[in-house]
Amino acid sequence: MSTTDLSTQHNDPSFSSLWEELNWRGLIQISTDPQALQEALDGEPITYYCGFDPTASSLHLGHLVQLLLLRRLQLAGHHPIGLVGGSTGLIGDPRQTSERILNSRETVAQWVDMLREQVQRFLSFEGANPARMVNNLDWTSQLSAIDFLRDIGKNFRVGTMIKKDIVAKRLNSEEGISYTEFSYQILQGLDFLNLYRQYDCVLQTGGSDQWGNLTSGTDLVRKTEGAAVHAIGTPLITNSDGTKFGKSEGNAIWLDPELTSPYAFYQFWLNTADADVADRLKVFTFRTREEIAELERLTREEPHRREAQRVLAADVNTLVHGEQATQQAVEASAAVFGRGSFEDLDASTLAAVAEALPGATVPGGTQHAVVDLLVATGLSDSKSAARRTLKEGGVSLNNRKVQGEDAVVSPGDLLHGRFALLRRGKKNLAAVTFTD
């Protein structure tokens, strides 16, 4: 995964303040004292942080809101801290439904390294306000159970803890909640306290569904240090029809290109509904208010062009996967619609295209009749129908028209020695993957 140069981006100069821009972009659903927070963000540089727990080997689309918020605040001159939870990841924050399965220490440690690499690609570690990466295992591993209970736990009231939304839901569920997950908010509060003491960190950001955990930190700092610190809860992103953003048939959209290919990632954004695209541009790109207004106009007046979706897909894909992967995704998308060549695509992009299309897998190293492949891929219902389509000139191989009913696909016709893209008519496309 690669990101664009941080120095090439900027905050929108059309806003009178950073606070105004964050609100316009829809990034603040809830916060501590808004006036004090606005003064802090629009004043001298402050230190802020966001935490990411290694509950999987990759961050996903939901985390991207926080990663880009970290980036926006750094562009405004503030000092970011990216925290990967080596200790909180061993516990896991309470889920809405049931207890998490605890992962091994070795697995969590491996995931910490993987997530750290993902987070730091969105930040700059040079210049006047370089970023810092931390792991909360560094300070929690030094605490004994007695010290944790005496010095930290005594500042938390059970009555307050059980009122937190997720905790309350779990307490009222059949399964209940374990003391392990119940204690998660204390650990997250300890993170804020430690970062305040060590780096004068005064702001934590996170999703609004984490508000109970966020305020555990602000309350702990207030009680132990007598200081007022801040928290921002960003809204959970949903589609205009109310469905959860980033979920497609139960599959998360990952930031790791091995889990969600840059091509599939690009297609996800390209398929954004017209009703959602302006909001997505505000949250997930660094386009200015003027640029987004123009894209909104094009969406209203010329929706068939899908210009806003193309800009959104290219911008976000570039942020996450880099310019080269995005260019490949753009070219692949054009080729799928018959407007480009599959031959210029690299092997990984072509494999992602093949995975996304209906198709068939056949033995390699030999010729295969196009008639048979049309049937195998489902492009034709029968060999007679396939021959009729071939006779009418309605079949192309890798976007090149196939001639003759007896046409074959030879090893030399394959792209990267493995793939052949068959098209019937203009819109029906399928992939054939040849095995070794």
Side-chain angles (χ1 to χ4, degrees), residues 75-87:
L75 287 169
H78 299 297
H79 302 270
I81 298 176
L83 182 150
V84 181
S87 65

Side-chain angles (χ1 to χ4, degrees), residues 177-327:
I177 187 171
S178 69
Y179 179 74
T180 299
E181 288 194 1
F182 181 66
S183 302
Y184 180 90
Q185 57 186 289
I186 301 179
L187 287 175
Q188 187 162 331
L190 174 59
D191 290 345
F192 205 163
L193 176 61
N194 186 79
L195 294 178
Y196 174 80
R197 287 173 172 172
Q198 192 167 355
Y199 303 113
D200 194 28
C201 180
V202 296
L203 169 64
Q204 180 183 185
T205 70
S208 58
D209 60 335
Q210 293 289 310
W211 188 243
N213 294 327
L214 298 178
T215 54
S216 293
T218 59
D219 291 345
L220 182 58
V221 173
R222 176 178 54 80
K223 289 178 180 178
T224 58
E225 306 298 309
V229 292
H230 305 287
I232 289 175
T234 58
L236 299 182
I237 309 299
T238 58
N239 296 321
S240 56
D241 61 5
T243 58
K244 190 172 182 180
F245 172 67
K247 296 288 186 180
S248 176
E249 298 178 358
N251 298 319
I253 308 297
W254 301 99
L255 303 189
D256 185 337
E258 297 298 321
L259 299 177
T260 300
S261 71
Y263 171 75
F265 194 78
Y266 179 84
Q267 291 298 315
F268 170 83
W269 295 100
L270 197 62
N271 290 326
T272 301
D274 289 350
D276 296 319
V277 68
D279 288 341
R280 300 292 178 264
L281 286 162
K282 291 176 183 179
V283 172
F284 293 101
T285 78
F286 290 82
R287 296 282 168 171
T288 64
R289 177 159 52 180
E290 181 180 357
E291 289 172 323
I292 293 174
E294 173 60 15
L295 290 167
E296 282 187 281
R297 183 190 68 78
L298 289 173
T299 300
R300 288 192 308 271
E301 298 177 6
E302 303 177 71
H304 60 280
R305 289 179 54 188
R306 298 187 68 76
E307 181 65 19
Q309 282 86 348
R310 284 201 294 269
V311 169
L312 173 67
D315 280 11
V316 184
N317 211 58
T318 300
L319 281 167
V320 175
H321 296 301
E323 293 181 4
Q324 183 175 353
T326 298
Q327 184 58 36

